[in-house]
Amino acid sequence: QVQLVQSGGGLAQIGGSLSLSCAASGMTWTIYSMGWFRRPAGKNRNENIATITWVDGRPWYSDVVKGRFSISKDSAFNTVHLHMNDLEIEDTAAYYCAAGDPAGEWHYWGQGTQVIVSS
């Protein structure tokens, strides 16, 4: 089992910045990649916005956040961060981190944290 505990998020203005963190514990050696997902209010599916491979730190970003968001990992603390810059109203959502396997299956999820971008 892998446990994921999220922190960060909150309220920001348009153009502002926020950071999210996701600390992994338990069987972390089974993790292939970590991902950040978000679900805007009223939507019924999660949107994968960024991932990073656990061992070598290769990042991937969706087009909607590329150039504005940055994913990184701190191996010493088994933590993945999402730094969000130039925030837009459309970034308002519940954000979740997840741990996945090489097949792209996301088995473990954080508890979620709200990000609200206001004008």
Side-chain angles (χ1 to χ4, degrees):
Q1 294 284 334
V2 174
Q3 294 78 42
L4 302 177
V5 178
Q6 297 178 221
S7 60
L11 181 65
Q13 293 188 318
I14 293 174
S17 300
L18 285 173
S19 292
L20 303 175
S21 296
C22 178
S25 61
M27 299 173 62
T28 57
W29 60 89
T30 65
I31 298 173
Y32 175 78
S33 61
M34 294 286 288
W36 285 99
F37 295 74
R38 68 185 184 186
R39 181 181 293 198
K43 298 294 181 66
N44 60 1
R45 60 185 294 271
N46 291 331
E47 175 188 15
N48 187 353
I49 57 172
T51 65
I52 190 166
T53 52
W54 191 244
V55 173
D56 58 4
R58 284 180 290 114
W60 169 87
Y61 301 97
S62 71
D63 287 342
V64 294
V65 305
K66 191 177 297 182
R68 299 189 298 121
F69 290 11
S70 175
I71 189 170
S72 63
K73 70 181 185 74
D74 184 337
S75 298
F77 294 97
N78 288 333
T79 299
V80 173
H81 306 284
L82 185 69
H83 303 286
M84 303 180 290
N85 299 314
D86 195 20
L87 285 164
E88 303 170 352
I89 292 287
E90 291 75 20
D91 295 320
T92 297
Y95 283 71
Y96 298 88
C97 65
D101 65 23
E105 298 292 330
W106 303 95
H107 299 286
Y108 305 102
W109 292 84
Q111 79 276 19
T113 187
Q114 191 68 33
V115 169
I116 299 173
V117 183
S118 69
S119 56

